[in-house]
Amino acid sequence: MAIEHDKAWPEQLRVSADRRTLNVRFADGRACELEAELLRVRSPSAEVQGHSPDQRVTVAGKADVTISNVLPVGNYAVRLVFDDGHDTGIFTWKFLSETGEAKDEVWAGYIAELTEKGLSRTA
């Protein structure tokens, strides 16, 4: 199903009690749970994504990362602050929507990348 991402406006963003999940409910009725680890390792920041695809960094050892804060950025995004100090990612509504829709594939790609590089979620 194609999603009109310009209509992917969240009605609610809520961090779980254990700070390990961002729960997002969109105005069009969709909802998703995005793990802090997944958001951290796929952060849209230059620190993680680089300035070109060949500069993207594989972030390992974040299985226990939590979300410390959620800060609004205009009316189009939030900046997530993680307990490991990472705070430069701007998570747009489109990014959250697309990540929620493709979460299984994003996770699988991340695990495959870790395996290929001999890295771990925990170290």
Side-chain angles (χ1 to χ4, degrees):
M1 170 176 127
I3 306 238
E4 293 184 46
H5 291 289
D6 59 333
K7 295 184 181 180
W9 192 271
E11 285 186 332
Q12 183 181 55
L13 295 171
R14 187 173 31 91
V15 178
S16 64
D18 66 3
R19 317 240 13 117
R20 295 186 183 278
T21 306
L22 179 67
N23 298 290
V24 185
R25 188 175 66 224
F26 295 97
D28 63 7
R30 292 175 301 119
C32 62
E33 293 182 354
L34 298 169
E35 291 78 3
E37 178 186 5
L38 182 64
L39 293 167
R40 172 61 179 90
V41 302
R42 291 297 190 222
S43 171
S45 68
E47 177 185 328
V48 174
Q49 298 302 321
H51 296 286
S52 66
D54 62 321
Q55 292 180 342
R56 192 171 67 74
V57 175
T58 302
V59 180
K62 299 299 176 183
D64 294 325
V65 75
T66 61
I67 299 168
S68 299
N69 206 351
V70 178
L71 305 168
V73 176
N75 61 3
Y76 69 98
V78 290
R79 181 166 57 101
L80 298 179
V81 179
F82 297 92
D83 70 342
D84 68 352
H86 181 72
D87 67 354
T88 58
I90 304 298
F91 295 79
T92 65
W93 308 147
K94 180 179 178 182
F95 179 93
L96 294 174
S97 177
E98 289 175 351
T99 302
E101 287 295 311
K103 186 170 99 169
D104 292 342
E105 294 83 8
V106 174
W107 264 119
Y110 175 60
I111 298 303
E113 190 176 317
L114 287 175
T115 301
E116 177 183 312
K117 294 182 177 183
L119 301 171
S120 168
R121 293 177 55 211
T122 58

